[in-house]
């Protein structure tokens, strides 16, 4: 479909988007009514309903010259699917709101939608509704609805004596973002990690079943998320630098940019790794690595000391 | 809380918003985990889950000089609650995304949130999560989750021979918008109708129980919504001008602006009236008025003729 959103008009664009997302709900027996009516109707029979919502703004959370429309779609879906992962739940259905300028090429919107639907499909989730409207800049609003058949794992359950563990790539996306910010396109592995994060989607439920006492996804930065866990649980958390193996591409980027690669690991978000606490080392599931410990007190330290590097992302 | 969003910072603002919305979920036994974790956790045991999402953009869907922050909050909630109404469901939980410039006064955001929570409370619904981020203009993204204990009423069930019926104020908000657009602040009843619509929240379920064959809410314009019903159902719809009593303030505005007041009724949205089809006049519930009929064919006519006035709102 050629042209801009302004030329295609609201209803032309909606018709195309509904085609993409109808493909997404085909065969999903849990969707009684998909996109196209006033609301979608879902069948969620067992367990609890888990819901989360996130915004992405062009120029702030993504740039069209740094990632393809499809990449942005993958990333928008991934960061929301990850929130359900961080409760120990299973993502099931998503809605998507797209505010965009009238001069946005329709193909950008459709490629975005295709990437979004693909990422959802990779975890068996479907897109059941949405809204589009005109705005000066692109704002993407996603809501994800999931299901939790066991008790959800909150941020607030960590206790002194627990161990802190991580699963998934950490620091890769931040490294990719750093090189893009300097105008480079390599190391490719990092740039791709930024463009299309690969959250450890199965690990949230795995952690819940292994008895995790608290759980969060690393979207804003590892130390920032550790602080969320510490504050919600009323404990202190110490992170051990030595627990992290610095992957080769991050070493290379650190050398090229004159930065400590450990900064990407401790301060980086966007990979959507999971950070959890477990009662002891024995209960930490396969694939997770112990990266610190939970102590009495408050605040987050690194190797027992205050950390003065960047700890994460702030939105204002 | 004084100052701007930029001064308050993301976490300061979130803390204030969570206070407002925690008040909203207090005592809601269906909310197991409210705002503040990675996702909210809800208990929806019976029936189906109904979900809808909507965007509002400053300058396009609202103006800060035309309505208070609290009004905008009421309106943002109302238009979403209305979508659940339009399925014959009961709204239960909402999430809200707020993208806003750093120089937005914190008090605007908090008054908006208070108005939003109040409107939700008026139907027993609660705010369970959200996201905030910086953007050049204000974009409000709302998702509402409801429950349907009977079969949802879709847009697609109208059949030739059915009667078309409406419930709720219609044209008032469009009249209010028209006078605001000319720089006036009266008739006050119309301006207030635009600022705080009063959707007929109980009427969706009432229509479902009375055997409505199709149902939609009038957010984009009466004839535009009739067209949605006609297209989804594969029928024609004829609307009768004579069915509408023109309320006094609309007559006054029509005279003042040199416009046919019937245009506000046929083309206006934003009141969130409900439009439905029923098998016969006898099944139309109390409070609804018959405004037309369903015929074989396609398209929407007024008194049997094509209508050449504005039929509703377009987003691009």
């Amino acid at each position: 479909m050629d042209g801009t959103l302004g030329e295609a008009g609201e209803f032309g664009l909606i018709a195309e988007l509904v085609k993409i997302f109808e493909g997404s709900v085909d065969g999903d027996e849990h969707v009684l009514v998909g996109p196209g009516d006033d609301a979608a109707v879902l069948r969620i029979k067992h367990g609890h309903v888990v819901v989360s919502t996130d915004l992405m703004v062009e120029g702030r959370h993504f740039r069209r010259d740094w990632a393809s429309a499809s990449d942005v779609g993958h990333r928008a879906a991934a960061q929301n699917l990850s929130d359900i992962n961080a409760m120990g739940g299973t993502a099931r259905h998503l809605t998507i709101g797209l505010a965009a300028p009238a001069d946005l090429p329709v193909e950008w919107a459709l490629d975005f939608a295709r990437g979004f639907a693909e990422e959802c499909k990779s975890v068996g989730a479907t897109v059941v509704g949405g809204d589009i409207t005109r705005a000066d800049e692109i704002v993407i609003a996603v809501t994800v609805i999931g299901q939790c058949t066991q008790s959800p794992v909150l941020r607030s359950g960590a206790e002194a004596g627990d161990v802190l563990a991580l699963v998934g790539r950490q620091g890769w996306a931040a490294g990719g973002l750093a090189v893009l910010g300097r105008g480079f396109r390599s190391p490719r592995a990092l740039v791709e990690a930024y463009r299309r994060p690969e959250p450890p989607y199965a690990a949230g439920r795995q952690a819940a079943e292994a008895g995790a006492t608290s759980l969060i996804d690393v979207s804003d930065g590892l130390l920032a998320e550790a602080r969320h866990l510490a504050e919600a649980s009323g404990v202190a958390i110490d992170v051990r630098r030595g627990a992290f193996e610095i992957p080769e591409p991050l070493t290379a980027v650190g050398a090229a940019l004159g930065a400590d690669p450990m900064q990407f690991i401790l301060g980086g978000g966007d990979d959507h790794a999971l950070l959890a606490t477990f009662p002891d080392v024995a209960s930490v599931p396969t694939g997770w690595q112990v990266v610190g410990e939970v102590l009495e007190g408050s605040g987050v330290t690194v190797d027992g000391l205050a950390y003065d590097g960047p700890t994460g992302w702030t939105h204002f």
Side-chain angles (χ1 to χ4, degrees), chain A:
Chain A
M1 194 170 178
D2 293 335
T4 65
L5 297 201
E7 288 156 12
E10 179 189 6
F11 296 114
L13 180 61
I14 287 179
E16 291 299 314
L17 291 172
V18 165
K19 274 186 217 163
I20 291 170
F21 294 136
E22 266 178 352
S24 148
V25 303
D26 268 0
D28 186 341
E29 63 179 23
H30 303 288
V31 179
L32 303 180
V33 178
D37 215 295
D38 293 289
V41 182
L42 315 171
R43 182 188 285 127
I44 299 181
K45 281 274 183 208
H46 304 292
H48 301 306
V49 173
V50 189
V51 61
S52 178
T53 198
D54 263 320
L55 298 172
M56 282 173 69
V57 179
E58 180 175 15
R60 189 152 180 85
H61 301 100
F62 67 93
R63 281 176 52 160
R64 272 187 269 170
D65 55 339
W66 285 1
S68 71
S70 176
D71 288 339
V72 176
H74 274 274
R75 219 150 74 74
Q79 79 174 43
N80 281 275
L81 297 170
S82 177
D83 281 320
I84 302 302
N85 200 22
M87 299 298 281
T90 304
R92 293 280 298 275
H93 309 291
L94 297 95
T95 63
I96 179 153
L98 176 64
D103 65 1
L104 184 75
V106 171
E107 269 310 317
W108 195 94
L110 299 184
D111 283 341
F112 164 80
R114 290 181 195 110
F116 189 89
E118 271 171 29
E119 185 73 19
C120 294
K121 192 176 177 186
S122 76
V123 301
T126 55
V127 181
V128 296
D131 190 20
I132 59 169
T133 190
R134 184 166 167 174
D136 291 342
E137 61 193 335
I138 302 177
V139 178
I140 297 160
V142 178
T143 299
V144 57
I145 295 172
Q147 189 177 19
C148 228
T149 48
Q150 83 294 330
S151 287
V153 187
L154 309 187
R155 300 179 175 187
S156 51
E159 291 186 19
D162 288 355
V163 297
L164 182 74
L166 181 83
V167 67
R169 293 193 304 205
Q170 173 57 26
W172 290 56
L177 185 59
V179 301
L180 286 167
R182 302 291 188 97
F184 300 115
R185 290 287 186 273
S186 69
R188 199 172 168 78
L190 298 187
V191 171
E192 285 305 313
Y194 168 75
R195 288 177 174 157
R196 294 204 186 185
E198 296 178 4
Y201 286 126
R205 198 160 160 189
Q206 178 196 31
E209 288 168 356
T213 54
S214 72
L215 181 59
I216 197 168
D217 75 315
V218 182
S219 50
D220 287 347
L222 194 150
L223 295 183
E225 307 295 358
R227 184 171 304 277
H228 291 318
L229 288 187
E231 284 176 358
S233 298
V235 295
I237 289 180
D238 185 55
V239 175
R240 284 197 301 272
R241 260 196 189 84
F244 300 96
E245 201 173 319
I246 297 178
E248 189 283 325
L250 276 187
T251 306
V253 166
L257 303 185
D260 177 359
M262 186 56 73
Q263 280 196 6
F264 299 121
I265 292 174
L266 296 180
D270 286 325
D271 291 303
H272 301 293
L274 288 183
L275 191 63
T277 54
F278 294 91
D280 49 43
V281 172
S283 56
V284 175
T286 310
W288 291 68
Q289 55 174 151
V290 174
V291 297
E293 58 190 325
V294 181
L295 305 166
E296 290 186 8
S298 65
V300 173
T301 50
V302 177
D303 294 330
L305 300 171
Y307 179 74
D308 58 3
T311 60
W313 165 270
T314 54
H315 292 271
F316 278 99

